[in-house]
Amino acid sequence: LSPQISEVDGMILQDRVAIVTAAGSGIGRGGAEIMGREGAIVIATDLVAARAEETAARIRAAGGRAEGLALDVTKDADIEALIADVTRRHGRLDILHNHAGIQVEGSLEQVPAKGLDDSYRINVRAHFVAAKAALPHMKRQGKGVIINTSSNSGVFFDKGMLAYITSKTAVIAMTRQMALDYGPHNIRVNALCPGWVDTPFNDPYIRQMGGRGAIDSYVKDKIPMGRWASVEEIAESVLYLASDRSSYMTGHALVIDGGESIA
């Protein structure tokens, strides 16, 4: 299958090939589903194969095209092999959404060195390895989109999340450097920076803040819009970054946080 890039029947990603890491739940699943709905051929990956396949099945049930594949992003060779396989079978790679990430809570005194290492390995290094593997294919095509998930924690600071904030800040710096280096090749690289989205990914931060009640109060009182984001709202931003609707945007950290980072 070697799709030609076009927009058909209002589908803004018609026949584009997209890989999404950590697509088995939350924002990763929401982004994969909206890309599938807009005509992309989605390769949904997750550490747990069953979750990846569930996402792919949801896309297919809605009339889209998708595959669900297991991927451990801590293994460089597995990332490289998956991207090589996808490009061999589909003939191209148009969109790479590096979404896999972890939260390790705690201040300097509380975070073990392993916590910082794990945060960097999954939140930063895995993005780097996947982008590096995707790059030759995108250069050959003369076009491509890389979305690196960071966080609004990458653009402002908060208490007690040293490893997470350090790694997410690094993602933004890496994204901007990639954008600078590969803009001449028509490869756009942007960072997705969500705020509070009501998914299980936030459990470590909720523990750090003192439980669900405390975080609900924080969201209500401290975020100007006074509420959590939905997965669907963040997915719309994924679609924007993945599509030609953002064709002149690169090196940008797109913050979607209800105003938290400016409050």
Side-chain angles (χ1 to χ4, degrees):
L1 178 63
S2 297
Q4 297 297 311
I5 301 306
S6 61
E7 187 169 321
V8 178
D9 297 330
M11 291 186 176
I12 65 174
L13 298 178
Q14 185 66 36
D15 293 335
R16 301 190 191 192
V17 177
I19 294 175
V20 184
T21 68
S25 63
I27 294 171
R29 173 172 284 177
E33 289 186 328
I34 200 169
M35 286 194 280
R37 189 185 76 201
E38 290 295 336
I41 301 165
V42 179
I43 291 80
T45 76
D46 196 87
L47 181 62
V48 179
R51 290 203 300 249
E53 177 52 33
E54 183 180 352
T55 297
R58 288 165 62 106
I59 294 170
R60 293 193 297 266
R65 292 166 291 174
E67 308 166 18
L69 300 173
L71 178 65
D72 183 347
V73 298
T74 67
K75 297 179 179 178
D76 295 359
D78 289 4
I79 296 173
E80 293 161 352
L82 181 135
I83 290 174
D85 175 65
V86 168
T87 55
R88 177 185 58 80
R89 291 188 293 108
H90 293 283
R92 62 185 305 116
L93 175 59
D94 301 288
I95 301 158
L96 171 65
H97 182 190
N98 288 311
H99 181 64
I102 60 169
Q103 283 191 20
V104 175
E105 73 265 38
S107 65
L108 176 61
E109 294 173 292
Q110 297 165 330
V111 175
K114 183 179 183 301
L116 184 62
D117 289 344
D118 289 346
S119 297
Y120 187 84
R121 183 179 302 111
I122 296 174
N123 295 349
V124 185
R125 181 187 170 87
H127 292 8
F128 166 87
V129 172
K132 189 176 181 69
L135 190 65
H137 307 286
M138 292 182 174
K139 285 178 71 175
R140 186 176 62 250
Q141 295 161 195
K143 185 177 184 180
V145 172
I146 298 172
I147 303 168
N148 294 321
T149 294
S150 176
S151 168
N152 71 336
S153 294
V155 298
F156 81 118
F157 298 94
D158 203 353
K159 296 178 181 178
M161 292 295 285
L162 176 67
Y164 186 68
I165 287 173
T166 299
S167 64
K168 291 301 188 178
T169 302
V171 170
I172 293 174
M174 181 175 70
T175 295
R176 288 176 171 160
Q177 187 63 52
M178 289 178 180
L180 181 63
D181 290 341
Y182 296 103
H185 297 276
N186 202 26
I187 297 169
R188 299 189 300 105
V189 191
N190 290 292
L192 180 74
C193 302
W196 287 100
V197 187
D198 199 1
T199 73
F201 181 77
N202 291 304
D203 288 350
Y205 207 110
I206 289 171
R207 290 195 298 269
Q208 180 73 23
M209 295 285 285
R212 180 70 192 212
I215 198 62
D216 283 343
S217 294
Y218 174 89
V219 167
K220 181 179 179 181
D221 296 339
K222 301 297 184 181
I223 295 176
M225 291 187 71
R227 63 174 178 84
W228 297 77
S230 69
V231 166
E232 291 76 17
E233 286 175 304
I234 307 303
E236 291 288 348
S237 295
V238 172
L239 178 62
Y240 173 69
L241 292 176
S243 75
D244 291 341
R245 290 177 178 177
S246 59
S247 58
Y248 200 55
M249 178 185 288
T250 195
H252 186 68
L254 182 59
V255 178
I256 319 104
D257 70 351
E260 181 186 21
S261 57
I262 60 171

